[in-house]
Amino acid sequence: PLAYAHVSVVKPCRLVRPVTQIPERSLVHQEGLPKLPVPSLKQTCERYLAALEPIVSEEELEHTRQLVQEFLKGGVGDRVQKGLERRARKTENWLSEWWMQSAYLDCRMPVAVYTSPGVVLPRMHFHDRQGQMRFAAKLIAGVLEFKKMIDNENLPVEYLSGKPLCMDQYYQILSSCRVPGPKRDTVVNHAIGKTPPTHITVVHNFQFFVLDVYNSDSTPLTVDQIYMQLEKIWNSSLQTNKEPIGILTSQHRNTWGKAYNNLIKDKTNKESVRAIQKSIFTVCLDAPMPRVSDELYQSRVAAQMLHGGGARWNSGNRWFDKTLQFIVGEDGTCGLVYEHAPAEGPPIVFLIDYVVKYMQKTEIVRSPMVPLSMPQKLRFNITPEVKRDIEKAKQNMNIMVHDLDVKVLMFSHFGKNVPKQHKLSPDAFIQMALQLAYFRMYNICCSTYESASLRMFKYGRTDAIRVTTVDSLRYVQAMEDPSKQKVALLQKAVQTHKENAYNAIHGQAIDRHLLGMKLQSIEDLTSMPEIFMDTSYAVAHHYNLSTSQVGSKTDCVMCFGPMVPDGYGVCYNPMDEHINIAITAFNSCEETNAAKFARAVEDALLDMRALLEDTATAKQ
Ligand SMILES: *[C@@H]1O[C@H](CO)[C@@H](O)[C@H](O)[C@H]1NC(C)=O
Ligand SMILES: *[C@@H]1O[C@H](CO)[C@@H](O)[C@H](O)[C@H]1NC(C)=O
């Protein structure tokens, strides 16, 4: 979900953005966090060359070695490094603004499918509007309960490897929204302003409503009250022939930026848009989707979360710029989609775990009813120009829907338990299975991205664990060769992955440092160092496999689109005894196929278990 990070970096940027501000009360914990370090130049150069070894040819590698030598010895590297170190001294985080810009706000691809991840929740047992609204009402109450912890500052601080993590992202996911610009987007966070919002937006049959979720005494509405309000919304949005205004937000960002300016010329439209942007979050009450077999159900829901199913289904029942959108279908479907700029997956699933637990213990108790006013419907004046923009957005959305290939694999044979029994890191084990699956399908290995959290540092976001290493390559090659010591090679590859993951979360990976040096060169207005214009650099950043582990207590799975047109997006949630894996690709690429890759992953996992068990038996 860090799509096209490498291609969109073109110009220096300076910005004052509300996104990294947090309410003052939580500054105590935040102040104690260390700053993101700038790794040493020599270390990054060495690690970069090592990372290239399994993915580029010997000639390319030799050429790059020379460029790296020049970069190190010729003074250019030192100068850029000094510039970065100066930036690190002057800012709270040398990377965070650059990263926000280059990975997200400058990125012009649509947010739907290309950057916004979805989450598929387990299928619910309702099949009608009552069930849908009851579920949505409880969910809304659960999120408001979670919001209390944010407002009252008693959100538990998370830890990784014994170190407290930056909690800033939690303050960015509610009451915020992305706003398109003609060349660059922004994110506005209304939680920080003088009058934080007290409403959510609900969308049904493409019609948006403002639902006030607090009483005049600032207590949240009860589940019962929310249910009644949802029913009113449902009853006054029965027409299904409305213009799907929200589909505009699924467009290419430049196109949407232009359409946006045109849309908000009208005062009513501007106020309606602002009400959506300012709302705490959005709830999409989706129309039922075509039924599919149980086997395909999860994959269909993943697609529904990522794009809504197309113009004639639920793609217009969204505001894709909204940071958090919960999706509840009349057919028992539920999940969410979130705009990636303000936060990574872990805070989102932490919220889900909390809300799901809350919903399990909450029953609707009928309470005496204080009459509440009718939720306000948001009006839009559809001029011929807006109508034309909607038609274009519908066409493009339908193309995206046809292009996205999704397969959710609910791997049921084992989970974290098996690698743990054999004293292997479950994450590294699954990553090696992905490497093996890819190698078996393509007979080569590819540049592989696994996101690593930088939240040990103030305002830290992510760096990349480069999964493909000389050791992972030796291991996958050995799996096809009866004469090799497969288990020893697997253990070695897993150990290397663990070390790379450790380095990454401690701020010692190479991707963001390389990006930083590139951006520093641009900011210094000097010529671009050759190492960044080299073929190897392009290959290293063409991530055919873009992966992320997003673990949760809830039996859900996150999903996101591939990072490159000819690659896969793979997100997995390893549970104790099973693994949920969402795989995406594009149909327009003939070489990729999500279902085929899913089968290869399943086989790889089973073969790896067999390998470990055979070896264990042989030893006894
Ligand atoms: C909504 O419509 C249904 C069916 O017509 C009706 O039973 C219910 O009372 C209505 N609810 C509200 C809040 O108007
Ligand atoms: C992976 O990326 C390379 C470019 O680095 C490309 O040539 C290749 O076709 C890609 N593989 C697949 C399976 O698409």
Side-chain angles (χ1 to χ4, degrees):
L2 306 160
Y4 306 103
H6 53 293
V7 292
S8 56
V9 184
V10 278
K11 43 190 153 353
C13 45
R14 215 165 294 118
L15 88 167
V16 186
R17 187 172 50 89
V19 178
T20 49
Q21 292 175 9
I22 50 164
E24 225 157 314
R25 57 191 181 279
S26 52
L27 286 176
V28 185
H29 149 73
Q30 288 290 120
E31 283 311 316
L33 292 169
K35 273 186 165 189
L36 179 68
V38 180
S40 92
L41 180 61
K42 188 158 159 284
Q43 174 184 291
T44 293
C45 288
E46 282 166 8
R47 288 184 179 170
Y48 174 50
L49 290 173
L52 290 177
E53 215 176 310
I55 52 174
V56 303
S57 69
E58 188 47 49
E59 298 86 67
E60 277 169 341
L61 185 59
E62 194 41 48
H63 177 68
T64 307
R65 271 198 198 106
Q66 285 168 18
L67 296 183
V68 167
Q69 271 308 309
E70 284 165 30
F71 184 66
L72 273 173
K73 299 272 152 66
V76 178
D78 280 331
R79 182 175 45 70
V80 179
Q81 176 77 2
K82 289 249 153 57
L84 262 190
E85 286 166 356
R86 211 175 312 120
R87 182 182 168 90
R89 281 192 300 274
K90 286 193 308 202
T91 54
E92 299 217 83
N93 183 316
W94 62 266
L95 175 65
S96 55
E97 281 185 10
W98 270 347
W99 180 245
M100 183 74 162
Q101 287 296 342
S102 61
Y104 301 112
L105 303 180
D106 282 344
C107 178
R108 302 286 78 198
M109 294 303 278
V111 290
V113 173
Y114 292 95
T115 53
S116 294
V119 176
V120 179
L121 284 166
R123 186 184 211 157
M124 292 296 142
H125 304 288
F126 55 80
H127 312 276
D128 56 15
R129 49 180 284 189
Q130 278 79 19
Q132 179 187 26
M133 286 185 285
R134 207 172 298 129
F135 182 87
K138 280 196 201 176
L139 184 142
I140 293 165
V143 181
L144 294 177
E145 193 66 23
F146 186 84
K147 183 170 175 292
K148 257 188 213 164
M149 289 198 297
I150 294 177
D151 294 343
N152 297 340
E153 199 212 334
N154 45 20
L155 192 66
V157 172
E158 291 171 288
Y159 284 78
L160 182 63
S161 297
K163 305 258 173 56
L165 298 185
C166 176
M167 299 299 284
D168 181 55
Q169 290 180 31
Y170 284 96
Y171 295 89
Q172 311 302 342
I173 55 181
L174 296 175
S175 315
S176 64
C177 193
R178 185 161 168 156
V179 179
K183 292 220 176 74
R184 163 181 297 173
D185 295 356
T186 47
V187 173
V188 283
N189 184 347
H190 294 280
I192 289 158
K194 282 203 190 81
T195 51
T198 55
H199 70 279
I200 64 168
T201 32
V202 177
V203 47
H204 178 237
N205 281 335
F206 309 155
Q207 296 154 71
F208 288 83
F209 292 82
V210 167
L211 170 52
D212 261 302
V213 284
Y214 291 94
N215 294 302
S216 50
D217 65 354
S218 321
T219 55
L221 299 193
T222 63
V223 176
D224 201 15
Q225 286 174 312
I226 298 169
Y227 178 86
M228 285 300 287
Q229 294 297 76
L230 289 178
E231 204 173 58
K232 288 181 201 162
I233 288 172
W234 223 99
N235 285 6
S236 50
S237 52
L238 295 172
Q239 320 88 313
T240 51
N241 58 348
K242 293 288 171 175
E243 287 296 340
I245 186 85
I247 207 162
L248 291 173
T249 62
S250 70
Q251 274 281 39
H252 186 275
R253 303 306 295 176
N254 289 354
T255 314
W256 170 218
K258 273 191 219 132
Y260 178 80
N261 283 337
N262 181 40
L263 179 73
I264 62 169
K265 271 187 215 148
D266 178 283
K267 191 163 164 283
T268 306
N269 293 349
K270 190 174 180 172
E271 281 167 8
S272 296
V273 166
R274 193 166 153 76
I276 299 172
Q277 290 170 339
K278 206 179 165 187
S279 62
I280 304 167
F281 56 89
T282 298
V283 173
C284 310
L285 299 175
D286 269 17
M289 298 281 289
R291 287 178 79 92
V292 292
S293 65
D294 284 350
E295 212 230 309
L296 289 178
Y297 177 77
Q298 305 281 347
S299 306
R300 199 219 73 200
V301 179
Q304 185 177 346
M305 297 307 138
L306 290 171
H307 56 53
R312 61 180 288 238
W313 300 104
N314 292 299
S315 297
N317 216 44
R318 305 276 183 276
W319 194 266
F320 282 104
D321 290 355
K322 193 71 199 152
T323 307
L324 256 187
Q325 298 195 90
F326 295 93
I327 297 162
V328 184
E330 209 179 321
D331 50 9
T333 305
C334 57
L336 65 85
V337 60
Y338 83 94
E339 202 289 300
H340 205 331
E344 261 70 57
I348 306 289
V349 296
F350 186 82
L351 181 149
I352 291 176
D353 283 343
Y354 183 91
V355 172
V356 166
K357 204 165 153 215
Y358 174 90
M359 289 171 77
Q360 281 160 356
K361 60 176 196 216
T362 303
E363 265 316 309
I364 298 192
V365 255
R366 294 270 162 213
S367 48
M369 270 296 164
V370 197
L372 293 168
S373 58
M374 173 65 207
Q376 180 207 348
K377 185 172 188 164
L378 295 174
R379 305 274 160 199
F380 285 97
N381 292 321
I382 312 286
T383 61
E385 225 180 336
V386 172
K387 169 91 180 137
R388 205 194 54 212
D389 290 335
I390 292 176
E391 289 308 313
K392 266 195 276 169
K394 281 186 186 170
Q395 281 169 17
N396 284 341
M397 176 46 98
N398 290 342
I399 294 169
M400 285 203 289
V401 166
H402 277 116
D403 199 19
L404 185 73
D405 176 17
V406 197
K407 174 71 193 173
V408 174
L409 169 64
M410 305 297 268
F411 180 82
S412 58
H413 304 276
F414 60 87
K416 286 188 279 198
N417 53 350
V418 164
K420 277 185 180 166
Q421 276 157 24
H422 297 275
K423 305 209 159 40
L424 297 175
S425 135
D427 183 63
F429 182 85
I430 295 168
Q431 284 290 343
M432 290 311 121
L434 297 178
Q435 289 295 307
L436 180 57
Y438 192 92
F439 187 77
R440 282 172 170 176
M441 263 176 88
Y442 299 103
N443 258 309
I444 48 164
C445 61
C446 67
S447 214
T448 305
Y449 185 109
E450 180 185 359
S451 55
S453 174
L454 286 179
R455 283 175 55 207
M456 261 181 209
F457 307 100
K458 198 174 189 182
Y459 301 133
R461 295 290 301 261
T462 56
D463 206 326
I465 304 166
R466 289 184 164 266
V467 180
T468 307
T469 60
V470 170
D471 291 326
S472 76
L473 177 60
R474 285 203 189 112
Y475 162 64
V476 297
Q477 285 170 332
M479 280 300 274
E480 314 300 306
D481 182 345
S483 70
K484 287 283 169 40
Q485 293 293 314
K486 301 181 180 66
V487 173
L489 289 171
L490 172 61
Q491 284 163 340
K492 180 97 198 300
V494 162
Q495 185 55 31
T496 302
H497 185 268
K498 254 180 83 174
E499 285 161 19
N500 287 342
Y502 181 93
N503 287 334
I505 63 172
H506 288 82
Q508 301 296 326
I510 63 170
D511 277 51
R512 301 299 180 264
H513 189 205
L514 289 169
L515 173 77
M517 291 196 283
K518 189 174 165 184
L519 292 173
Q520 187 65 43
S521 306
I522 296 169
E523 204 158 275
D524 291 347
L525 297 172
T526 52
S527 60
M528 183 57 74
E530 286 197 57
I531 56 162
F532 301 122
M533 301 192 296
D534 179 28
T535 313
S536 295
Y537 191 79
V539 173
H541 290 83
H542 188 91
Y543 284 111
N544 293 32
L545 271 179
S546 155
T547 74
S548 186
Q549 168 179 241
V550 181
S552 66
K553 293 198 183 96
T554 310
D555 193 9
C556 62
V557 65
M558 189 168 272
C559 49
F560 49 76
M563 228 190 257
V564 294
D566 55 356
Y568 293 98
V570 183
C571 193
Y572 50 95
N573 179 8
M575 311 285 288
D576 288 334
E577 297 190 354
H578 65 282
I579 312 170
N580 303 336
I581 311 173
I583 297 167
T584 57
F586 291 115
N587 287 315
S588 51
C589 174
E590 276 183 26
E591 283 82 45
T592 55
N593 182 313
K596 234 168 135 180
F597 190 61
R599 278 194 296 278
V601 171
E602 183 158 31
D603 289 345
L605 285 166
L606 290 171
D607 290 351
M608 285 167 67
R609 176 176 71 176
L611 172 69
L612 291 174
E613 286 180 351
D614 289 352
T615 314
T617 321
K619 271 192 195 152
Q620 279 165 10

